[in-house]
């Protein structure tokens, strides 16, 4: 990559940031299309977020991805939000449009695209059991409701947090049925039995650490399992799914790629080379 005075800079704000695959993915895509862009990771501590966002304008950075722990906190420093970002209450992509900073959220659309591409599954009319009510869980819940899920049950360790999310969802989506169950309880098995799609939006299983309160006997073969974790590629949940003979069980690599591809299109106006991005991450 040859960097000149004409090179357009994009990147990612997060803390910590060493683990990110996004520079590999985006720089491979820029190279494949011959675009004079460079993607850089920026380690931004929470107390420095406001200054970092101001730097987007000052340095004429064309776009920024936002990752943990900044997805919600960054909103107050932006000029405008897309419809999805408003509904989800979180931003993962900033577009610098002539000095006007617009917040987008491509996570949900990335998940829906990956669910179809990788598991050949649509959410419309399905019963969803979602593990986790944090930032990732909220984005997935909103996306599933937008896509017409018939029921969404949220399992979370902190019931109050899940109740708050369900209250928000009920106010905004009248056609979907919502409920809450504890993540650490016998109700999980019952929830799985009544679900078409099981989604893990917790950090349990990241880097192979931790086990969800789910056993092999809880899973049925026709259940679709989507684990947002992609490191390791075969997560603890996917190992259990394999032993249970679940026919469709995938990790979150596709979501990472598709949410990145959507951000790429927002920044460049070009159709992203998804195959190139996937190859770079793998």
């Amino acid at each position: 990559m040859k960097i000149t005075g004409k090179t357009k800079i994009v990147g990612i704000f997060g803390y910590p940031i060493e683990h990110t695959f996004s520079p590999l993915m985006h720089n491979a895509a820029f190279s494949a299309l011959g675009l004079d862009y460079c993607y850089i990771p920026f380690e931004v501590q929470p107390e420095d977020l406001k200054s970092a966002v101001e730097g987007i304008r000052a340095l004429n950075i064309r776009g920024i991805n936002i990752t943990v722990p900044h997805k919600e906190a960054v909103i107050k420093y932006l000029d405008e939000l897309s419809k999805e970002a408003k509904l989800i209450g979180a931003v993962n992509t900033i577009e610098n449009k002539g000095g006007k900073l617009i917040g987008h959220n491509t996570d949900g659309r990335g998940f829906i695209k990956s669910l179809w591409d990788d598991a050949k599954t649509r959410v419309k009319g399905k019963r969803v059991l979602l593990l986790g009510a944090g930032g990732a869980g909220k984005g997935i819940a909103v996306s599933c409701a937008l896509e017409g899920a018939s029921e969404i049950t949220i399992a979370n360790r902190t019931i109050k947090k899940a109740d708050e999310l369900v209250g928000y969802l009920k106010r905004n989506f009248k056609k979907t049925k919502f409920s809450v169950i504890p993540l650490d309880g016998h109700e999980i098995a019952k929830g799985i039995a009544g679900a078409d799609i099981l989604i893990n939006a917790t950090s349990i299983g990241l880097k192979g650490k931790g086990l969800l309160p789910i056993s092999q006997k809880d899973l049925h073969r026709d259940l679709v399992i989507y684990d947002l974790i992609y490191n390791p590629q075969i997560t603890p949940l996917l190992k259990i799914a394999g032993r249970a003979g679940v026919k469709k069980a995938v990790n979150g690599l596709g979501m990472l790629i598709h949410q990145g591809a959507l951000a790429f299109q927002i920044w460049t106006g070009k159709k992203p080379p998804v195959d190139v991005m996937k190859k770079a991450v793998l």
Side-chain angles (χ1 to χ4, degrees), residues 19-42:
H19 65 282
T20 182
F21 288 170
S22 294
L24 295 170
M25 180 169 68
H26 283 283
N27 286 324
F30 295 143
S31 179
L33 296 188
L35 298 177
D36 193 4
Y37 280 74
C38 180
Y39 189 107
I40 301 170
F42 297 94

Side-chain angles (χ1 to χ4, degrees), residues 9 13 50-62 64 79 96 98-101:
I9 301 298
F13 291 172
K50 182 181 180 181
S51 298
V53 173
E54 289 170 351
I56 298 172
R57 290 192 191 89
L59 300 172
N60 196 27
I61 293 172
R62 296 307 176 95
I64 286 288
D79 301 311
N96 184 354
K100 183 179 183 180
L101 301 185

Side-chain angles (χ1 to χ4, degrees), residues 9-12 22 25-26 29-30 33 35 37 39 62-67 84 91-96 102-111 254-274 277:
I9 301 298
V10 293
I12 183 168
S22 294
M25 180 169 68
H26 283 283
F30 295 143
L33 296 188
L35 298 177
Y37 280 74
Y39 189 107
R62 296 307 176 95
I64 286 288
N65 281 141
I66 301 292
T67 188
E84 282 171 302
V91 163
N92 80 327
T93 300
I94 297 173
E95 172 190 10
N96 184 354
I102 304 169
H104 300 265
N105 194 307
T106 66
D107 282 336
R109 281 184 289 155
F111 164 75
M255 177 177 166
L256 171 75
I257 292 161
H258 285 296
Q259 64 80 24
L262 289 163
F264 180 98
Q265 191 161 3
I266 287 168
W267 296 331
T268 67
K270 306 289 185 183
K271 185 178 179 181
V274 175
M277 298 172 88

Side-chain angles (χ1 to χ4, degrees), residues 21 27 75 93 105 148 160 165 175 178 180 196 216 226-227 262 279:
F21 288 170
N27 286 324
I75 289 175
T93 300
N105 194 307
K160 183 183 177 184
L165 176 53
K175 295 181 179 180
F178 299 98
V180 171
D196 302 305
Q216 183 178 328
Y226 196 104
D227 195 339
L262 289 163
K279 185 178 178 182

Side-chain angles (χ1 to χ4, degrees), residues 40 44 97 148 282:
I40 301 170
V44 176
K97 198 169 185 178
L282 288 172

Side-chain angles (χ1 to χ4, degrees), residues 73-223:
V74 77
I75 289 175
K76 60 181 171 284
Y77 306 126
L78 304 178
D79 301 311
E80 189 178 309
L81 295 180
S82 70
K83 178 186 174 183
E84 282 171 302
K86 282 180 185 175
L87 273 172
I88 294 169
V91 163
N92 80 327
T93 300
I94 297 173
E95 172 190 10
N96 184 354
K97 198 169 185 178
K100 183 179 183 180
L101 301 185
I102 304 169
H104 300 265
N105 194 307
T106 66
D107 282 336
R109 281 184 289 155
F111 164 75
I112 295 298
K113 186 78 168 63
S114 174
L115 188 65
W116 174 248
D117 282 2
D118 301 325
K120 293 296 180 279
T121 299
R122 303 285 191 200
V123 171
K124 187 175 177 63
K126 299 292 197 311
R127 299 165 299 173
V128 175
L129 174 58
L130 174 63
L131 312 182
K138 186 177 181 182
I140 296 299
V142 167
S143 299
C144 288
L146 283 169
E147 290 294 312
S150 62
E151 296 180 26
I152 300 175
T153 300
I154 298 175
N156 200 56
R157 282 176 173 165
T158 308
I159 292 296
K160 183 183 177 184
K161 192 169 187 178
D163 282 335
E164 288 172 355
L165 176 53
V166 162
Y168 171 81
L169 292 166
K170 283 180 175 178
R171 290 192 296 274
N172 286 278
F173 301 98
K174 305 299 184 184
K175 295 181 179 180
T176 301
K177 180 182 176 183
F178 299 98
S179 58
V180 171
I181 60 174
L183 182 57
D184 298 328
H186 65 277
E187 291 179 65
I188 282 289
K190 186 178 176 182
I192 292 171
D196 302 305
I197 303 172
L198 169 64
I199 303 165
N200 177 32
T202 76
S203 60
I204 300 171
L206 181 63
K207 297 184 179 177
K209 296 176 182 177
L211 292 171
L212 289 160
I214 293 171
S215 66
Q216 183 178 328
K217 64 180 172 55
D218 295 331
L219 306 178
H220 53 89
R221 286 172 59 84
D222 293 327
L223 183 70

